[in-house]
């Protein structure tokens, strides 16, 4: 069962996602997609790791900035082996999809040499592979993402491209998730339960 947690910056979405994971199991695998570019980012990562290690819930942190689909497939196999042995598989939490998108977008354009059709095709292939891995994951999976389209239009092309791709990615992931939570000011709302349906007209 896949669950998506979305919200703006400092909305409380990551904390809610961790609390959700801790309600679903006894231990978890924390897949971190961030890359450490500078000292400020390193300090953020360190604070996150310390906050996870201070509780009674056991987290195993795995860093994967690019090949998230492959890692989810591997984890699904490991979880299946544990389940067949009578053990409860760990809850998997991915934080976050928009950082993964940033990494893939930059890698695709770097590999292609420039923005354009080739980079776009590579990005879309990796997105499609990730969507398939999420849809196929048979155990509890919590995914964190950011809502980036509610602010001003970015002034530069790469910013606008990222905003658009993030919106498309969130829609695709939400479609294959069983539950979608929007967190605003620390308050979560389950969107699919409250969603409008055309048959209601």
């Amino acid at each position: 069962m896949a669950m998506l947690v979305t919200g703006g910056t400092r909305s409380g979405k990551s904390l809610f996602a961790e609390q959700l994971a801790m309600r679903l199991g006894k231990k978890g695998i924390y897949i971190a997609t961030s890359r450490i570019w500078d000292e400020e980012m390193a300090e953020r990562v360190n604070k996150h790791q310390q906050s996870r290690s201070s509780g009674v819930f056991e987290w195993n942190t795995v860093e994967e900035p690019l090949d998230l689909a492959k890692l989810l497939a591997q984890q699904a196999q490991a979880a299946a082996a544990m389940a067949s042995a009578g053990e409860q598989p760990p809850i998997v939490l991915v934080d976050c999809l928009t950082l993964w998108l940033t990494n893939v977008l930059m890698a695709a354009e770097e590999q292609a040499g420039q923005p354009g059709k080739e980079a776009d095709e590579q990005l879309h292939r990796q997105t499609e592979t990730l969507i398939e891995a999420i849809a196929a994951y048979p155990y509890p999976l919590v995914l964190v993402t950011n809502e980036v389209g509610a602010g001003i239009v970015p002034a530069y092309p790469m910013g606008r491209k990222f905003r658009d791709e993030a919106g498309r990615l969130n829609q695709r992931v939400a479609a294959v998730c069983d539950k979608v939570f929007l967190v605003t000011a620390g308050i979560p709302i389950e969107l699919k339960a409250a969603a409008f349906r055309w048959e209601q007209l």
Side-chain angles (χ1 to χ4, degrees):
M1 178 174 68
M3 291 159 281
L4 180 66
V5 180
T6 186
T9 302
R10 289 290 179 265
S11 61
K13 60 186 182 297
S14 290
L15 177 59
F16 172 74
E18 291 177 18
Q19 292 172 337
L20 180 61
M22 288 187 282
R23 291 290 186 97
L24 294 171
K26 297 180 179 179
K27 58 183 178 179
I29 294 177
Y30 195 106
I31 301 177
T33 61
S34 63
R35 281 180 162 172
I36 300 175
W37 300 104
D38 50 37
E39 291 184 7
E40 189 269 342
M41 190 63 180
E43 185 177 350
R44 282 174 177 259
V45 170
N46 185 51
K47 286 182 178 178
H48 276 290
Q49 291 176 343
Q50 287 181 349
S51 68
R52 293 196 298 271
S53 63
S54 60
V56 295
F57 190 83
E58 179 186 344
W59 284 110
N60 177 26
T61 301
V62 179
E63 297 181 6
E64 182 46 70
L66 290 170
D67 208 346
L68 188 53
K70 181 179 179 181
L71 181 57
L72 286 177
Q74 292 172 343
Q75 183 53 42
Q77 291 180 344
M82 291 181 67
S84 64
E87 300 178 52
Q88 182 181 6
I91 308 301
V92 174
L93 191 159
V94 177
D95 194 355
C96 73
L97 294 180
T98 36
L99 281 173
W100 171 84
L101 178 66
T102 300
N103 298 334
V104 172
L105 182 60
M106 293 177 66
E109 295 199 353
E110 182 179 341
Q111 189 171 6
Q114 61 182 353
K117 184 178 179 181
E118 184 179 344
D120 290 345
E121 289 177 351
Q122 184 174 334
L123 173 65
H124 294 156
R125 281 196 303 270
Q126 293 198 50
T127 299
E128 190 66 32
T129 302
L130 177 60
I131 299 297
E132 291 173 359
I134 292 170
Y137 197 84
Y139 302 99
L141 171 64
V142 181
L143 305 139
V144 179
T145 191
N146 288 276
E147 286 298 317
V148 298
I152 61 174
V153 177
Y156 50 97
M158 176 62 88
R160 291 191 294 272
K161 180 178 181 61
F162 170 75
R163 177 204 58 179
D164 293 346
E165 293 295 346
R168 294 187 187 103
L169 176 64
N170 287 349
Q171 289 187 59
R172 296 287 308 282
V173 174
V176 300
C177 284
D178 299 278
K179 293 181 181 294
V180 179
F181 297 93
L182 171 65
V183 183
T184 303
I187 302 172
I189 298 173
E190 210 285 274
L191 295 179
K192 284 200 169 182
F196 166 77
R197 291 173 175 78
W198 288 107
E199 58 268 24
Q200 295 173 344
L201 287 177

